[in-house]
């Protein structure tokens, strides 16, 4: 697994919009945590495909597309999203400018939510998180700065499986490539 920790691509201007987005997401997560991750909050503010695709085209149907980008499913979810936004958002905002960046960010998040919703438009499971918007920012960074150096932590995960069986089960087991199952 790769975790970016910084890039060697300093931005020229302060990334005000990026800082605001990170601050709003963290503030929203603190409120979620204080509300004990209330499921009703996810249903009311998350993007629910069935509600969206079966509603009459009204502004209320589109609000959860935006609000869902500020809710997160857990500490790892918000931590990963905010790490990527912190590292890559400043340069993309610097390149696009504040107004175009904020439009781009919400457009990517909206397209991602609707695209995911199209996979199962009858789903009543709320989708939350800024992952679609962050993926758009990361994609823009890769296009704008294809040769930028990014420092990463690399985790190598080794999964060992231990299989045991009883001698009594050996009669009923099947030989699969020299291994009895």
């Amino acid at each position: 697994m790769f975790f970016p920790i910084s890039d060697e691509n300093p931005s020229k201007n302060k990334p005000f919009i990026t800082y605001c987005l990170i601050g709003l997401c963290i503030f929203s997560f603190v409120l979620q945590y204080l509300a004990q991750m209330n499921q009703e909050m996810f249903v009311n503010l998350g993007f629910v495909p069935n509600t969206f695709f079966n509603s009459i085209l009204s502004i209320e149907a589109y609000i959860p597309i935006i609000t869902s980008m500020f809710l997160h499913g857990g500490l790892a979810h918000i931590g990963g999203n905010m790490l990527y936004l912190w590292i890559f958002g400043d340069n993309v905002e610097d390149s696009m400018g504040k107004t175009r960046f904020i439009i781009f960010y919400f457009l990517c998040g909206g397209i991602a939510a609707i695209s995911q919703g199209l996979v199962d438009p009858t789903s009543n499971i709320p989708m939350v998180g800024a992952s679609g918007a962050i993926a758009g920012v990361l994609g823009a960074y890769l296009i704008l700065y294809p040769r930028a150096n990014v420092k990463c932590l690399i985790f190598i995960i080794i999964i060992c499986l231990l299989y045991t069986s009883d001698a009594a089960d050996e009669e009923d087991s099947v030989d699969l490539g020299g291994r009895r199952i």
Side-chain angles (χ1 to χ4, degrees):
M1 270 201 236
F2 292 91
F3 285 99
I5 54 174
S6 69
D7 65 351
E8 296 175 356
N9 190 11
S11 54
K12 297 176 183 101
N13 302 306
K14 283 278 187 212
F16 179 73
I17 300 298
T18 300
Y19 292 163
C20 286
L21 289 169
I22 291 170
L24 286 169
C25 284
I26 291 172
F27 177 73
S28 298
F29 186 75
V30 168
L31 292 178
Q32 280 179 253
Y33 187 77
L34 292 174
Q36 300 177 346
M37 302 299 260
N38 187 329
Q39 295 298 321
E40 200 169 306
M41 181 185 299
F42 289 105
V43 172
N44 292 334
L45 299 173
F47 178 74
V48 180
N50 190 27
T51 304
F52 178 78
F53 291 116
N54 290 318
S55 66
I56 300 170
L57 296 177
S58 66
I59 194 71
E60 291 85 22
Y62 290 91
I63 291 172
I65 292 174
I66 302 299
T67 58
S68 68
M69 289 184 225
F70 294 99
L71 300 177
H72 288 80
L75 197 56
H77 187 199
I78 191 167
N81 278 351
M82 296 306 102
L83 174 67
Y84 275 78
L85 186 55
W86 176 267
I87 293 171
F88 303 112
D90 63 336
N91 298 110
V92 176
E93 180 181 340
D94 203 27
S95 174
M96 291 183 174
K98 294 177 185 346
T99 305
R100 287 196 310 170
F101 177 72
I102 195 75
I103 292 168
F104 176 76
Y105 181 87
F106 284 114
L107 193 61
C108 288
I111 290 170
I114 292 169
S115 298
Q116 178 67 28
L118 286 170
V119 172
D120 184 6
T122 62
S123 174
N124 288 312
I125 300 170
M127 295 185 295
V128 296
S131 299
I134 304 297
V137 170
L138 182 57
Y141 185 92
L142 291 171
I143 290 170
L144 293 168
Y145 308 102
R147 299 198 186 281
N149 291 325
V150 178
K151 294 179 184 176
C152 295
L153 288 176
I154 301 172
F155 292 97
I156 299 173
I157 299 173
I158 300 172
I159 300 172
C160 297
L161 299 176
L162 179 61
Y163 177 77
T164 60
S165 69
D166 292 336
D169 292 337
E170 294 265 339
E171 295 173 6
D172 298 328
S173 63
V174 176
D175 188 10
L176 184 63
R179 188 170 181 190
R180 298 194 71 77
I181 57 169

